[in-house]
Amino acid sequence: MTETAEAWLNRTTSFWTPNATQFDGARSHRTSIESKLDAALGIYRMFEIGSLRHGTGIWLHSDADYLVSLKGNQPSSPWTVLSNVKAALQDRFPHTTIVVRQPAVVCHFSDGIVEVVPGYITTSGYSIPDPTGGWMKTHPDEHSSWVNEVNKKHGGAAKKLARQVKIWKYKRNVPVSSCYLEMRAAKHINGESSYFPVWDLHLALEKIHDANLAAMNDPTGLGSRFTATSSETKRADAMSKLATAVSRAEKAREYEKAGDHVAAIVQLKLLFDE
């Protein structure tokens, strides 16, 4: 029996879903990181954020992301605090490659990658480095709750769709923020009354393309806008790849609608570089 396009998409999504132990190596460094930063800079708390917390990570590609709430006064330039965090961690892990990739300090451990995002407590949420420069406000607890609420309301569709657009991002090397894609995917699902995997994959990609990767308002109404890319050069590259993705997803949708699942799967394979 011929596999349906939806079954293929679900199988591919499951294949790229991390198992329960994938982040164990990266997570094992948390205590050492937390202790060093507390001793060197002073911190209030360190907690998981991003795909690790949301449950939308991609096997072999997603990192363990943490936000570190620092004590003291917030400097005018985020590069100051990023440099301080990098210096402290490099002192603790002298043989580990550690780089600054705003908004995070990225630690390339042999058993996993850890991204540490420094932040300062504000009247609500946290102030963290903006990938495009300066500072931005974020509310990770509220963002996680919002994604979980949308996901629950739509039977798991929000996280499934978010994971699919992230698979496309990583497989096609698209220079766009994973957080941005996740929020766009959840926002799309939140506006739908039902979920059809192949159709909604196309519609979500099309909406992102039609928005020209413009910054997205925080759906919780609390924080700064979510930016898609860190430069115009990266935006142009992402838009080009996005246009191709929309075309392939649309063809997959139309072939599925016509009952030609073999042709639909061919387009999905091209979309995900499988």
Side-chain angles (χ1 to χ4, degrees), residues 112-270:
I113 297 175
V114 177
E115 295 198 13
V116 180
V117 178
Y120 291 87
I121 297 174
T122 64
T123 52
S124 66
Y126 297 86
S127 181
I128 65 171
D130 189 323
T132 61
W135 296 92
M136 62 180 286
K137 288 188 67 176
T138 186
H139 295 75
D141 292 331
E142 289 78 5
H143 295 157
S144 180
S145 295
W146 181 78
V147 171
N148 286 334
E149 180 182 340
V150 174
N151 193 59
K152 182 178 180 180
K153 183 170 67 175
H154 294 276
K159 292 187 178 183
K160 183 178 290 187
L161 180 59
R163 181 169 277 121
Q164 289 163 1
V165 293
K166 287 184 183 183
I167 294 170
W168 163 74
K169 161 196 161 68
Y170 289 116
K171 293 287 287 178
R172 285 297 180 181
N173 194 29
V174 187
V176 63
S177 163
S178 293
C179 180
Y180 179 87
L181 292 177
E182 179 169 320
M183 289 298 173
R184 284 286 187 187
K187 181 180 179 181
H188 164 72
I189 288 296
N190 197 40
E192 299 297 307
S193 58
S194 55
Y195 173 57
F196 300 97
V198 178
W199 282 61
D200 283 297
L201 176 59
H202 167 245
L203 290 175
L205 289 169
E206 186 175 54
K207 286 179 180 178
I208 297 171
H209 179 268
D210 289 348
N212 291 308
L213 291 175
M216 175 187 171
N217 289 332
D218 184 343
T220 67
L222 296 171
S224 302
R225 287 158 64 84
F226 292 96
T227 55
T229 60
S230 57
S231 70
E232 179 55 33
T233 299
K234 290 183 177 180
R235 193 192 77 84
D237 182 21
M239 280 297 294
S240 175
K241 292 174 178 176
L242 187 54
T244 301
V246 171
S247 176
R248 288 169 174 166
E250 181 177 23
K251 289 177 181 177
R253 187 193 79 175
E254 291 303 312
Y255 279 127
E256 182 195 45
K257 180 181 178 181
D260 191 344
H261 292 278
V262 172
I265 292 172
V266 168
Q267 293 301 317
L268 290 173
K269 287 182 176 180
L270 287 172

Side-chain angles (χ1 to χ4, degrees), residues 4-38:
T4 66
E6 181 176 331
W8 185 92
L9 182 58
N10 287 335
R11 181 166 57 82
T12 298
T13 305
S14 296
F15 176 82
W16 288 103
T17 299
N19 61 40
T21 63
Q22 183 188 330
F23 294 108
D24 285 357
R27 279 174 164 153
S28 69
H29 301 284
R30 173 176 177 168
T31 299
S32 296
I33 292 173
E34 191 170 9
S35 296
K36 178 60 180 180
L37 292 181
D38 190 30

